[in-house]
Each structure stands twice: as structure tokens, then as C-alpha cells.
Amino acid sequence: MKFNIQSNSRNNSGLLIIPVVGSNWSELLKEKLGGKSVNPSIFSGKKDSSYQLEIGGRLVLLIGLGEKTDVSSIEKSFRRVLSKNKDLVEKSVSIDFSAEFSTELIESALVGFQLGAYNIGFFKQKKEDQKDFAELEVSVISQESGLEKTLDRAAKIAAAKIEGFKLVDLPPNVITPAYLADWAKKSGAEYGFKTTIFDQEKAKEEGLDAFLAVARGSAKAPKFIIMEYRSPNAKSHLGLVGKGVTFDTGGLNIKTQGMVYMKSDMGGAAAVLAATQLIASLKLPINLTAIVPAVENSVDKDAYLPSEVIGSHAGLSIEVIDTDAEGRLILADGLSYLVKNYQVDQLIDFATLTGSSVGTFGYECGALFSNSDTISDLLRKAGMQSGEKVWPLPMWESYRSEMDSEIADIKNYHGKPIAGAITAAKFLEAFIHEHPNWAHLDIAGVAFGDSEFAKTKSGTAFGVQLLLKFIENQL
């Protein structure tokens, strides 16, 4: 899309979009519509409402945002424009923001507008009348200062989120560990961060035994992806780890239901990869090291077995109780490697880890675990601001005994239908080498799901804007 800034909409002929918020929308609309009023019984400006009309041969779309809006709601409202009203759009669009719209709200609206062009029909035959919005001219009308920066930020945020969508939505015969490694290399070359890929041989040299154990049953070779972004103005170093199970059969403890959705088990990796692209593209003044251990958890004669005892980068032996508790194994090596080889000030991992977190929070927010009240509060605040909400669960030491093994240092699953998300977090804690500022985000219920923008479950890019807020709140 091609964005530009204009002082008014009179010189344009394409669709005019007027978003309204607050209680004085009626007088505002009369002013923007050249004295024409809108009957409140037809359009009341309430949240999630819209109304189309024609004035002087020009199409106008009114978007109601309610008495008070937030960044998440406005993003969704604007995503509907191209997703559900594409027939109204031809070659150009004007968006007329009133004084009630802050820079932050304008940014969210423009992000949402661009997300509306995303479609998961990657492999469908293209229709002759199918619209391509790459050349769409978008005029932004606002009295806010610094609009050029807002347009640039919105484009970069939208681009990163769309990559997050794609990485989850593409099928597992496309999104393989090798694909994620190639994606990281290409993104690093484009946006300016260093990418290092460990193959099986190098991973073995580095002692990433838990990571390699999960990959044994797959014909697709694992890739241990390391991305390093450095800023000359950095005052802190953030470490990220994202679970990258590109497809999860459950291994020999094979899943008995819902396997068709297991292409989404790399939602944590998608968040970390897309966030790394965004951080680098915005040139944020931090240092970042991000790791994605990428594997496929499959079944063949070499697959790792329930009751095996495997090694780990941290030196701890692990009794495998359940091969479907594989995500925590690759995260364990990712966390340990990151802490041992990089001096990070804060350490955060993202993972679609447990059904237990979904049972606790449903599809409303991610489960947050941390050994630091400071980092927990910062993440919770950033989640509320971004609309990507996370909420804390306890990390009491009494839960640690649930992971005790008779034969090894620790087991990967406690085998009980209770406290599954918490005990998984306690397992991961054993591999952070007592790092004082660690947080684990279990995003199983929010990284992939039903939405109004697709007829099937699809990716959400959950975590990308959460991390952006988390970082910028500390700058």
C-alpha cells in the first residue's frame, strides 16, 4: 500500500472512511459530510457498527468505535474494511481522523487496515476479479503531528504481524525447520541482524541433547536458530526463546484428537521471529538475542521413547514420561544455551505449551509465569496496553516436587490432570541457570484460533505487539 498525508478529503474520489468515537459524533459527522446528517436509528456510532452511504457520487464508510476505544478494538474495526468491505475499495481510500484520535489510535487503525488485506487462501487458484491491494493509495487526514513516523511504524508493525500470521497459517509441508531457518536468514539480511543456524552435527557438539531427542522421529532435520540484533545505543540486552515445533504428532504418545491443528505448535517461534523482524526494522535501541529451536515431533523407528532418559544442554538428565511434552524439552535447551552464552538482562520464552493454560484462561489471555515481580508487572501492563493480555499464575516451590524423577534429575511431565501449565513452567525454570529476570508465556490458547477473519482457525501473531510495548515502556 502507498500511504500519504493530506489536509482534507476534497481532492480524492475513492472511498472515504470516517471513524467516530465518543458521544459528540453526530455534530462531527455533519461537519465532515458537508452538512448532511445521519439518522441515529440507522447509525449510532456504537462499537463494532458501520454504515455505508453515498454523497455526491462518493462512497463513504462510517465506522463506529463506541464511547471509548482502545488499540485492540480499533485495529479489529479497521481490519474489517478490506477483509469484509473490499467491494467498496478500488484504487484509493481516504481515512479522515478527527481530533479525538491520538497518534497511538491512528497507528492502530492503520495497522488494522493493512492486516485486512491478509488472506489465508495461499494455494487457491486466483480469480480474475481478485483484488490486490499492494498498489492501493491511502490518504491519511489528521491534525496530529509526526504523522510520517506514524505511517512508517504502522507499516512495519503490520508487516511483522502478517509474517506472524503466515508462519502459523502455512501448512506443515511448507513450514519446516529448514523453512524457519531460511526465513531467519533472509529476514536478517533484509533488516540487519545476524543469523546463525546449528544443524544436527553442530547441535550435538553444543550438547543440545534434549532438542535433538525430539527431532529423532522426523525425516525433517532440526534447526537451532540464533538471531542477534545489536544497537549502538542499547542500554539493555533482551533474550527471547520461541518454541518451534513445526508439527506435533505427539510422538509415540500420539495425539488422539485435534492433530489437524498441530501446525500451530510453532506459535511461540512465530512470535519471536516476527518480533525480531519488527525490533530490527524499527531500530529499537536495545540488544536482542533470540533463539528458535525448530523441530518436527513425528514417529518412526528412531523416535524417542517414553521412559527414555535423555541429556540436556544444562547437564541435567531428563526422564521422558510423555513424548507429547516435547515443547518444554526444546525450550529447555534453548533457554540454557542462551543464558550460558549471552549476558541477557531479561529472558522471556513464548510457547504454545499446555492445554492446561487454555483450561485456566480459555482463549482470552496467555498464562504468565515469572521469577521476577518486576518483569511480570511489566509484561502484564504491556499486555493490557496492546490487547495481547497475559496474566500471572504462581511459581511456588511446592510445585517443583511434582517434577521429581526417581531415575533422573527431572522428568518432563508429572502425569497428572492438574496444574499442568504450572508444572511445565517449573520444569523450564530448572534450565535457566537461576537467571533472576525470566518469564515464561504459555500462549496455547491465544496464538491460533477462531476469528471473524477466516472460516477456519488461523494465526494471531500474539506476542508481537506485546513485546513492542514491553520494550518501549522501558526505553
Side-chain angles (χ1 to χ4, degrees):
M1 295 181 193
K2 300 177 180 179
F3 287 84
N4 62 79
I5 300 167
Q6 293 195 359
S7 58
N8 61 67
S9 63
R10 296 189 187 94
N11 298 326
N12 297 328
S13 57
L15 175 69
L16 172 62
I17 300 172
I18 304 177
V20 295
V21 65
S23 56
N24 297 323
W25 62 268
S26 184
E27 289 302 313
L28 171 70
L29 278 186
K30 189 178 289 187
E31 176 188 334
K32 290 187 177 293
L33 297 177
K36 183 177 177 64
S37 61
V38 178
N39 191 323
S41 64
I42 298 175
F43 177 75
S44 63
K46 68 181 181 180
K47 183 180 176 182
D48 296 329
S49 66
S50 64
Y51 180 61
Q52 303 166 22
L53 67 157
E54 185 178 354
I55 298 179
R58 185 178 191 186
L59 285 173
V60 179
L61 175 64
L62 308 180
I63 297 178
L65 299 168
E67 287 289 319
K68 186 178 180 182
T69 192
D70 56 69
V71 295
S72 180
S73 295
I74 197 171
E75 181 181 296
K76 186 179 293 184
S77 293
F78 270 80
R79 187 175 176 183
R80 292 186 186 114
V81 177
L82 295 184
S83 178
K84 298 187 175 184
N85 294 287
K86 58 174 64 73
D87 291 341
L88 301 178
V89 179
E90 292 300 332
K91 295 181 179 179
S92 66
V93 169
S94 297
I95 307 175
D96 193 345
F97 293 103
S98 62
E100 285 79 9
F101 287 85
S102 64
T103 299
E104 184 179 43
L105 292 181
I106 292 172
E107 177 182 285
S108 296
L110 298 179
V111 169
F113 184 80
Q114 292 170 84
L115 296 184
Y118 176 76
N119 188 295
I120 67 172
F122 301 106
F123 301 96
K124 287 189 174 185
Q125 294 183 353
K126 289 192 175 180
K127 300 176 182 178
E128 291 184 8
D129 60 348
Q130 188 169 326
K131 292 187 176 180
D132 181 3
F133 295 113
E135 299 300 317
L136 181 65
E137 297 278 352
V138 183
S139 299
V140 178
I141 303 161
S142 171
Q143 301 305 311
E144 282 289 304
S145 60
L147 274 182
E148 292 87 354
K149 181 180 178 181
T150 302
L151 298 184
D152 180 65
R153 274 178 57 92
K156 290 173 178 175
I157 293 169
K161 291 193 73 168
I162 286 172
E163 288 302 311
F165 293 164
K166 285 181 183 177
L167 289 170
V168 173
D169 289 337
L170 283 166
N173 56 318
V174 174
I175 299 293
T176 63
Y179 182 102
L180 296 184
D182 289 342
W183 186 99
K185 288 178 186 175
K186 290 175 183 175
S187 183
E190 182 175 355
Y191 295 102
F193 58 86
K194 177 184 174 184
T195 304
T196 304
I197 310 296
F198 291 170
D199 59 13
Q200 284 171 286
E201 185 177 348
K202 179 62 175 175
K204 186 64 179 175
E205 287 178 16
E206 296 292 337
L208 302 170
D209 294 335
F211 164 73
L212 289 171
V214 177
R216 269 169 31 197
S218 175
K220 300 179 178 71
K223 303 292 181 183
F224 194 84
I225 303 164
I226 305 169
M227 297 167 287
E228 301 172 61
Y229 163 75
R230 300 293 182 261
S231 167
N233 302 313
K235 295 181 180 179
S236 65
H237 190 168
L238 174 64
L240 298 177
V241 182
K243 173 187 170 183
V245 179
T246 58
F247 193 80
D248 181 20
T249 67
L252 288 172
N253 290 107
I254 200 158
K255 294 180 184 292
T256 58
Q257 59 182 2
M259 202 190 297
V260 68
Y261 298 127
M262 284 301 102
K263 67 176 184 178
S264 70
D265 212 16
M266 43 69 67
V272 167
L273 290 165
T276 301
Q277 172 183 309
L278 180 58
I279 290 164
S281 68
L282 291 174
K283 294 182 168 51
L284 296 184
I286 66 164
N287 287 336
L288 171 70
T289 302
I291 289 179
V292 171
V295 301
E296 182 182 77
N297 186 26
S298 193
V299 180
D300 78 352
K301 61 183 177 58
D302 297 318
Y304 76 126
L305 310 173
S307 78
E308 272 195 36
V309 175
I310 61 175
S312 69
H313 180 270
L316 296 177
S317 58
I318 305 169
E319 180 186 8
V320 177
I321 302 299
D322 193 324
T323 61
D324 197 21
E326 85 298 330
R328 64 198 68 182
L329 297 177
I330 67 171
L331 285 172
D333 275 358
L335 288 165
S336 177
Y337 186 89
L338 183 52
V339 174
K340 280 295 189 179
N341 290 278
Y342 299 89
Q343 300 300 313
V344 295
D345 300 302
Q346 296 171 323
L347 177 65
I348 305 173
D349 71 79
F350 286 79
T352 51
L353 206 63
T354 69
S356 176
S357 69
V358 185
T360 302
F361 292 121
Y363 305 103
E364 193 63 31
C365 74
L368 165 62
F369 302 88
S370 182
N371 60 3
S372 163
D373 288 342
T374 299
I375 198 170
S376 179
D377 290 345
L378 286 168
L379 283 167
R380 188 164 55 87
K381 177 183 177 182
M384 297 303 291
Q385 291 173 323
S386 66
E388 296 180 346
K389 300 187 289 292
V390 293
W391 203 257
L393 288 174
M395 286 283 290
W396 300 322
E397 193 58 26
S398 55
Y399 287 108
R400 173 62 179 81
S401 61
E402 292 285 342
M403 306 308 288
D404 289 344
S405 166
E406 289 292 319
I407 195 171
D409 292 318
I410 195 169
K411 59 187 177 185
N412 77 327
Y413 178 56
H414 70 334
K416 300 176 183 178
I418 56 171
I422 298 173
T423 52
K426 293 303 289 183
F427 174 87
L428 293 177
E429 188 180 34
F431 296 88
I432 64 170
H433 302 285
E434 299 184 346
H435 193 286
N437 294 303
W438 164 67
H440 159 59
L441 294 174
D442 189 336
I443 58 173
V446 287
F448 181 75
D450 296 314
S451 82
E452 63 183 274
F453 302 108
K455 294 179 180 179
T456 184
K457 292 181 184 295
S458 58
T460 66
F462 186 97
V464 175
Q465 286 186 268
L466 166 65
L467 277 171
L468 179 60
K469 274 291 180 187
F470 172 79
I471 293 167
E472 293 189 327
N473 284 346
Q474 298 179 76
L475 295 178

